[in-house]
Amino acid sequence: PESADYSLVHEYFIPFGDIKEIHIPVDPITQEKRGFAFVEYEEEEDAQHAIFNRHNSTMSDKTVVVEQARPTRSREMLQRPLWADEGYYQKYTTEPK
């Protein structure tokens, strides 16, 4: 939730293992929290336990979605449409038979 701060997020996720880092992104213009956080554990297994046990749970009366982070696309990739990638058509289209 937008009201979540470092200590609340830490308290919510620490039962599953040692936390390496917590990052709570803010909007670059308003400096308000964006409503999500990244929690990195020391051990992969601890992260999997947190995902299993906290996904769709509640924190401060809000539903919490806990997933493994997806890799970000490079800045170059963000400035062009997905279909500009050569592999896009191969992956998402089928040839007539």
Side-chain angles (χ1 to χ4, degrees):
E2 291 82 3
S3 62
D5 62 9
Y6 179 91
S7 61
L8 181 62
V9 173
H10 186 270
E11 181 180 319
Y12 195 71
F13 287 100
I14 195 65
F16 304 102
D18 294 330
I19 295 174
K20 184 175 183 178
E21 181 181 2
I22 295 174
H23 175 64
I24 302 174
V26 296
D27 183 282
I29 296 170
T30 65
Q31 295 301 305
E32 293 179 6
K33 295 174 190 151
R34 296 177 58 194
F36 61 93
F38 295 99
V39 178
E40 183 178 358
Y41 283 90
E42 294 286 342
E43 302 292 329
E44 173 71 23
E45 185 177 334
D46 296 339
Q48 293 303 320
H49 286 294
I51 292 168
F52 180 79
N53 287 285
R54 291 293 195 219
H55 182 65
N56 287 330
S57 60
T58 57
M59 176 194 293
S60 302
D61 297 324
K62 299 278 187 173
T63 300
V64 177
V65 175
V66 183
E67 301 174 330
Q68 187 166 352
R70 295 180 287 273
T72 58
R73 296 190 320 173
S74 68
R75 218 179 246 301
E76 176 185 314
M77 290 294 291
L78 290 174
Q79 295 177 354
R80 62 185 185 145
L82 287 174
W83 52 89
D85 180 24
E86 290 179 25
Y88 178 85
Y89 284 110
Q90 292 173 352
K91 185 174 181 180
Y92 295 103
T93 60
T94 57
E95 301 215 8
K97 295 181 179 184

